[in-house]
Amino acid sequence: MTESFVKVALVTEVANGHGMKVFVNNKSVALFRVDDRFFATQNTCPHLGASLHCGKIEGAKLTCPDHDWTFSLETGRMPMNPDCSLLLYDVEVRGDEVWVSRLARLS
């Protein structure tokens, strides 16, 4: 049986309030840390394709670095346009390791 999660980082490698690019099944995924919570989303903004791991984090909100589109890290939804959302990945912390699900989901 194939593991449904893949190890992508150590907890200490992900700075609080920041994102980093990781790869899951050869796909670029944005991994974020907000205090002791971790979130993972698609790494491409649906607007114009900016790399979301470079975005600004305020609480559980992510702002695209290029055009200021804002998304909830908890739901993947854009508050100004609920029909626009990001793919999310489940995240597990196992000891000092961060694991991300192999399959994305919509909120």
Side-chain angles (χ1 to χ4, degrees):
M1 182 171 157
T2 302
E3 172 72 51
S4 59
F5 283 75
V6 61
K7 178 184 158 192
V8 295
L10 296 175
V11 169
T12 55
E13 294 176 321
V14 188
N16 186 38
H18 294 277
M20 68 183 285
K21 179 169 53 173
V22 298
F23 289 91
V24 176
N25 293 338
N26 296 319
K27 268 193 135 121
S28 179
V29 171
L31 177 66
F32 302 97
R33 181 177 186 173
V34 179
D35 299 321
D36 290 326
R37 300 186 313 165
F38 290 83
F39 302 93
T41 71
Q42 69 188 61
N43 195 29
T44 305
C45 181
H47 181 210
L48 292 174
S51 294
L52 292 175
H53 75 277
C54 298
K56 181 179 177 184
I57 303 298
E58 291 182 50
K61 291 191 176 153
L62 163 66
T63 302
C64 174
D66 285 357
H67 295 97
D68 295 329
W69 280 31
T70 301
F71 300 90
S72 166
L73 289 173
E74 294 169 325
T75 67
R77 293 181 190 236
M78 181 180 187
M80 299 298 285
N81 181 359
D83 292 332
C84 183
S85 63
L86 301 175
L87 292 174
L88 302 177
Y89 293 81
D90 293 325
V91 180
E92 293 181 355
V93 176
R94 302 178 185 176
D96 64 346
E97 300 172 340
V98 182
W99 292 67
V100 172
S101 63
R102 291 182 183 274
L103 298 176
R105 63 178 170 78
L106 287 173
S107 58

